[in-house]
């Protein structure tokens, strides 16, 4: 049985139990642990996404179109929706640490190599990240609900599919935050989806 130090054990229990302990150990070997002061920019809106972050302590603000769109805390991923995209994704928002923050980061390029060497780890990680994106919509704040919705939608639709449970979660978010049908359709169009494709649960290639 593989044992971890207390910090890695906490991270495994918090976020990665869908991975075996061996798989988690491999994933952690590719990770970089970083401690940052307040005011450090993790990613910038519109720039090509190249890193996945997981906050293990501290907080960070997410700003989209100049408006505060969310607050990240311990256990939150940054760059997960973007990582799920296939074609040169760009960061949806600018994320800046709000307090001293400890985080783990992975280069997308490293994760892509891991996909070749250990496809089962990559498959499970992508499923975990998509579940995390869905969970975001359930706990999403109301700073900028439409911007947040677009970011969540981007992650959920990344694999070209959306199941009934995911559509239900999105529908509930729209109802709670008064996102109209036209706003929903506009968000879909911005991601290259039609309303019919969304309702049928699959992107036509």
């Amino acid at each position: 049985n593989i044992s971890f130090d207390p910090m890695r054990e906490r991270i495994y229990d918090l976020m990665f139990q869908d991975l075996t302990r061996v798989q988690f150990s491999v994933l952690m070997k590719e990770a970089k642990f970083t401690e940052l002061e307040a005011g450090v920019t993790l990613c910038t809106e519109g720039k090509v996404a190249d890193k996945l972050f997981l906050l293990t302590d501290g907080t960070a603000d997410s700003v989209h179109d100049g408006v505060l769109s969310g607050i990240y805390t311990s256990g939150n991923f940054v760059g997960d929706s973007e990582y799920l995209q296939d074609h040169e994704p760009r960061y949806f928002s600018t994320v800046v640490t709000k307090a001293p923050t400890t985080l783990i980061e992975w280069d997308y390029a490293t994760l892509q190599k891991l996909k070749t060497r250990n496809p089962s780890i990559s498959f499970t990680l992508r499923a975990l990240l998509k579940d995390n994106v869905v969970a975001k919509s359930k706990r999403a704040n109301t700073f900028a609900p439409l911007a947040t919705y677009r970011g969540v939608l981007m992650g959920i639709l990344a694999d070209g599919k959306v199941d009934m449970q995911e559509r239900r979660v999105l529908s509930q978010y729209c109802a709670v935050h008064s996102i109209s049908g036209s706003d929903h359709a506009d968000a879909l169009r911005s991601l290259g989806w039609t309303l019919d494709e969304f309702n049928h649960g699959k992107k036509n290639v």
Side-chain angles (χ1 to χ4, degrees), residues 17-33:
Q17 289 204 358
D18 287 344
L19 295 173
T20 68
R21 296 179 75 86
V22 172
Q23 289 174 325
F24 178 70
S25 179
V26 171
L27 185 64
M28 286 299 101
K29 286 179 182 178
E30 307 294 345
K32 176 183 176 183
F33 288 76

Side-chain angles (χ1 to χ4, degrees), residues 16-174:
F16 290 101
Q17 289 204 358
D18 287 344
L19 295 173
T20 68
R21 296 179 75 86
V22 172
Q23 289 174 325
F24 178 70
S25 179
V26 171
L27 185 64
M28 286 299 101
K29 286 179 182 178
E30 307 294 345
K32 176 183 176 183
F33 288 76
T34 306
E35 295 183 1
L36 302 174
E37 297 299 319
V40 177
T41 299
L42 300 183
C43 57
T44 302
E45 180 178 345
K47 286 197 172 183
V48 173
D50 60 355
K51 293 182 185 296
L52 173 69
F53 304 93
L54 173 62
L55 273 65
T56 59
D57 194 23
T59 59
D61 285 343
S62 173
V63 176
H64 177 74
D65 282 346
V67 177
L68 181 65
S69 58
I71 296 176
Y72 291 96
T73 59
S74 177
N76 292 165
F77 284 100
V78 177
D80 47 352
S81 293
E82 294 82 356
Y83 175 71
L84 292 169
Q85 307 298 306
D86 290 328
H87 304 293
E88 198 176 70
R90 295 181 181 274
Y91 286 115
F92 179 75
S93 62
T94 296
V95 179
V96 181
T97 57
K98 189 178 180 182
T101 298
T102 304
L103 55 81
I104 307 170
E105 63 179 77
W106 292 268
D107 289 332
Y108 285 1
T110 300
L111 292 176
Q112 190 63 28
K113 292 176 183 176
L114 187 65
K115 180 179 179 180
T116 302
R117 297 198 313 268
N118 293 279
S120 63
I121 296 178
S122 179
F123 178 83
T124 305
L125 177 62
R126 289 181 69 88
L128 183 155
L129 291 175
K130 186 168 184 182
D131 287 346
N132 184 71
V133 170
V134 173
K136 272 185 187 178
S137 71
K138 295 180 179 178
R139 64 173 183 267
N141 56 69
T142 56
F143 296 118
L146 182 55
T148 300
Y149 181 70
R150 287 173 176 157
V152 169
L153 197 60
M154 181 175 70
I156 288 177
L157 300 180
D159 59 359
K161 296 179 292 185
V162 55
D163 62 30
M164 186 178 297
Q165 179 185 356
E166 291 163 348
R167 290 198 299 273
R168 186 180 302 116
V169 168
L170 291 169
S171 177
Q172 289 170 347
Y173 182 91
C174 287

